[in-house]
Amino acid sequence: MGLGPGVSLTRDSLAALHAAQGSLHLTLPFGVTLERPGAGPLTPPEQLEATPPPADAPPTAGGQLSLVLAVPPPDGADWHQTLQRRRRIWWRDLADDPGNYSLAQSSPDDAQVLFDGRLPVERLRSHGPQAIEGAGGTQEAHVFSCELCLQSALYSVCGDALDAGALRLQERLAPYRRAVPSRHDWPEELRALALHISNQLRSSGVSVFPLPEEMPAEGEEDQSNSEEAQRDGERTNASSTVEEPWLAAPLRSSDGAGVPLTVLLSERTLQDGVCRLRSRDTSLSHQVHVSQITDGG
């Protein structure tokens, strides 16, 4: 589909291009980013589901990030196709289910990235030829804009990742990358080791989900069977889904917060430094040495 005559460019977007060109003497292509804060409270997600915004509505609720891009006029058609393709790929690359994101084009100059076929998360528009004034004079450029609605982006990323109580965010999106559960009745050395691992991870730039120490339940049953199964799995270096009952609560919390990997310690860790690393996505755990965790997260 070819380019149309272009849709109108907002005054502040055009002013940002003039300012960038005038102060930095940029050559085409170049772009500027704009942040527009939202007004009023966010719309509850259930209302968005009940009454989704119309397909031609600009994404403004909850704040907006915009990229305004100026390119040489002869390259406008190529940039138009490339921009739409790359933005669709960018959203799909972040997704647990890439099929949740699609591109809907309402005119040759106006398209939207949709989540679940109905919620606009980003609007891509061609504004046609524009005269950009700068210190060196006026130059002609073909202008595009990408407008990302922060509220819709948040809802779409969380909606895509939510699965049976677990938030399956990609690690680069997860606010916390590791969790280290511990128990109040552990030996002091083991509790200190859990704290040391958390501190080492944080000092390496790896965010750690703050879990409270688990208290032993009153009348807690003997755990010899699950502990024996755990030891069997560790001896064979096999992946295992067997977890001690006390871990149910912290794992539920860390999975719900989107933590990709949880470090599971045991008294054996004090003997040989071996612990288990459990995956949020598969519920499988495998044994690793604590040095591998604290060295690189």
Side-chain angles (χ1 to χ4, degrees), residues 28-50:
L28 299 174
F30 70 88
V32 295
T33 57
L34 302 172
E35 181 179 355
R36 299 181 177 96
L42 295 181
T43 303
E46 61 271 14
Q47 291 184 20
L48 285 178
E49 287 297 322

Side-chain angles (χ1 to χ4, degrees), residues 69-138:
L69 184 65
V71 307
D75 300 336
D78 290 340
W79 275 88
H80 182 63
Q81 298 298 326
T82 299
L83 193 61
Q84 291 189 5
R85 184 178 68 254
R86 289 187 175 178
R87 294 309 297 159
R88 183 177 66 248
I89 291 173
W90 186 85
W91 281 102
R92 290 182 171 181
D93 189 46
L94 293 179
D96 183 58
D97 180 2
N100 280 331
Y101 292 96
S102 59
L103 187 72
Q105 194 151 354
S106 56
S107 76
D109 299 308
D110 199 343
Q112 292 185 105
V113 178
L114 302 179
F115 172 71
D116 199 25
R118 51 187 287 157
L119 180 63
V121 294
E122 185 170 355
R123 191 171 189 178
L124 311 170
R125 294 191 286 182
S126 166
H127 302 282
Q130 302 283 338
I132 301 177
E133 301 172 1
T138 301

Side-chain angles (χ1 to χ4, degrees), residues 231-240 268 274 285-288:
R231 286 193 293 270
D232 289 344
E234 289 173 339
R235 280 195 291 266
T236 60
N237 198 26
S239 296
S240 172
R268 178 194 171 185
V274 173
S285 60
H286 64 279
Q287 65 175 2
V288 296

Side-chain angles (χ1 to χ4, degrees), residues 225-227 229-230 240-244 247 264 276 283 285:
N225 290 336
S226 61
E227 290 172 353
Q230 174 186 330
S240 172
T241 58
V242 176
E243 308 294 359
E244 298 176 59
L247 282 169
L264 304 180
R276 289 183 297 141
S283 298
S285 60

Side-chain angles (χ1 to χ4, degrees), residues 142-183:
H142 195 113
V143 176
F144 299 94
S145 66
C146 306
E147 300 162 343
L148 190 154
C149 173
L150 297 179
Q151 175 181 229
S152 297
L154 174 63
Y155 289 162
S156 69
V157 168
C158 293
D160 170 78
L162 190 60
D163 179 23
L167 197 59
R168 302 188 188 282
L169 295 169
Q170 290 193 16
E171 182 157 346
R172 55 182 163 163
L173 294 179
Y176 298 101
R177 293 171 53 194
R178 300 291 183 268
V180 188
S182 64
R183 278 176 65 109

